[in-house]
Amino acid sequence: MQLVEPRPSRPIPIRITPLIDVVFILLVFFMLTTRLLPVDYLELANNTSNRSPITGEPLPELTVTANGKVQWQGQAMALDQLMTELGNAGITEVNLATTGDTPLGAFTRVLSSLVDQGIDSHWKRTNATTP
């Protein structure tokens, strides 16, 4: 015995009008609450006025060796001597490289000393040599 009559098998139409109303209300809300800044006042942090990759001398290259000394201009120097030489030469930016067997501690000491002296350093990664 069936108590409820079955529903007729016709598709139920989806009314789009309320959906469109909601979308327009959201659009108006976001348009009213959004604050647009003028393009003239955008602040960009792009300070490239004092540096040009095309012209100028190449950066000096320092190579940290396994014994903790640093090679610069064909000479192996202790870290204190190197900092004095770089300061006297007025160098503010260098490329820093390591040999394949340089310990991490030696690299870190040299990098920390360069940062303390205010010298920007760029690390040139080299692959370890296998015997």
Side-chain angles (χ1 to χ4, degrees), residues 1-6:
M1 168 181 203
Q2 192 173 12
L3 297 176
V4 179
E5 292 182 21

Side-chain angles (χ1 to χ4, degrees), residues 6-103:
R7 294 182 82 176
S9 62
R10 61 183 168 106
I12 300 174
I14 298 175
R15 295 190 178 151
I16 298 181
T17 306
L19 294 174
I20 293 174
D21 290 345
V22 169
V23 169
F24 282 130
I25 290 172
L26 286 173
L27 179 68
V28 168
F29 172 77
F30 286 116
M31 286 174 58
L32 292 176
T33 58
T34 302
R35 180 178 173 186
L36 298 175
L37 295 175
V39 179
D40 297 333
Y41 298 108
L42 290 179
E43 185 175 330
L44 301 176
N46 189 10
N47 187 9
T48 58
S49 60
N50 60 355
R51 176 193 281 180
S52 174
I54 299 171
T55 61
E57 296 179 15
L59 296 176
E61 185 165 328
L62 308 176
T63 304
V64 183
T65 59
N67 59 4
K69 294 198 175 211
V70 183
Q71 290 183 351
W72 180 45
Q73 296 178 340
Q75 298 178 358
M77 301 181 193
L79 192 55
D80 297 336
Q81 180 186 3
L82 175 72
M83 292 302 135
T84 305
E85 292 287 330
L86 291 175
N88 291 339
I91 294 175
T92 60
E93 194 171 5
V94 296
N95 286 332
L96 185 62
T98 57
T99 58
D101 53 351
T102 302

Side-chain angles (χ1 to χ4, degrees), residues 98-116:
T98 57
T99 58
D101 53 351
T102 302
L104 180 62
F107 170 74
T108 306
R109 275 190 298 277
V110 173
L111 184 62
S112 298
S113 296
L114 290 170
V115 169
D116 290 343

